[in-house]
Amino acid sequence: MLGIPIPLLLTALVLAALLGLLLSVTLEASTGNRSYSVSSSVEQDSGAGKNSSGLPVVTEASLGTEVQRLVDSGMIQPPTSFDATACLRALGVQDSVLIMEEVAWSADESRAWLLVHGPMDRETLRANGGTVSASVVRQDCGSGTADGTDPAESRLWAGEVMIGSL
């Protein structure tokens, strides 16, 4: 058969089968401990990543994903009694608020607001992507209470998030 000795051909087939088996076992071992997250649609009131009141549960690890989801969906929280602009001003931030969402923060699921803010408008961000600032603040941020507390104590998390374009 084409000048290839039969013992050499059989050896090559056995080695190929062993290599395939080894790669299969290695692939299974390397992916066996991974957990797969279940995503939920924006319209659902509760589901994966949301608490019993329907608020998304956000942690430092999931903050970037949540901001990207908000930018992609174009979801805007309806007007509330929370004044995001006053909150940012109390924290010394001069950016405009692009998107805000009421969230449950971290493992204790305390009610908070996720404020996405930056120097650009929402449409430019959706079209081009870029870096925006995100702040997670308590419900009383910017309320102007006269109890003498530092406004920075209302901030639970602040940082920058890289957003991809649509």
Side-chain angles (χ1 to χ4, degrees):
M1 222 167 85
L2 302 174
I4 301 174
I6 300 267
L8 182 61
L9 183 62
L10 289 176
T11 304
L13 287 175
V14 168
L15 287 175
L18 288 174
L19 182 62
L21 182 62
L22 180 66
L23 288 174
S24 173
V25 169
T26 305
L27 178 63
E28 186 177 335
S30 67
T31 59
N33 292 334
R34 300 229 175 143
S35 63
Y36 298 98
S37 63
V38 177
S39 63
S40 61
S41 68
V42 175
E43 291 79 27
Q44 284 182 319
D45 283 339
S46 75
K50 295 192 178 192
N51 66 7
S52 59
S53 4
L55 295 178
V57 178
V58 181
T59 63
E60 288 183 31
S62 65
L63 190 66
T65 306
E66 182 67 13
V67 170
Q68 181 71 56
R69 185 190 65 77
L70 286 172
V71 170
D72 290 347
S73 69
M75 185 173 131
I76 301 171
Q77 192 84 18
T80 64
S81 60
F82 179 73
D83 188 352
T85 305
C87 176
L88 288 180
R89 297 300 173 261
L91 296 172
V93 177
Q94 300 303 315
D95 292 340
S96 60
V97 177
L98 302 175
I99 300 172
M100 62 186 255
E101 179 183 38
E102 189 172 12
V103 297
W105 178 248
S106 198
D108 64 353
E109 295 185 11
S110 57
R111 293 176 75 96
W113 284 92
L114 168 59
L115 306 175
V116 180
H117 50 95
M120 64 185 80
D121 60 55
R122 188 175 22 252
E123 288 72 29
T124 304
L125 177 63
R126 288 186 76 201
N128 302 328
T131 302
V132 293
S133 297
S135 299
V136 179
V137 295
R138 287 186 166 80
Q139 297 274 330
D140 62 351
C141 178
S143 62
T145 58
D147 59 4
T149 59
D150 183 16
E153 290 179 16
S154 293
R155 186 179 318 196
L156 299 171
W157 188 90
E160 292 185 335
V161 178
M162 184 70 141
I163 300 297
S165 61
L166 287 179

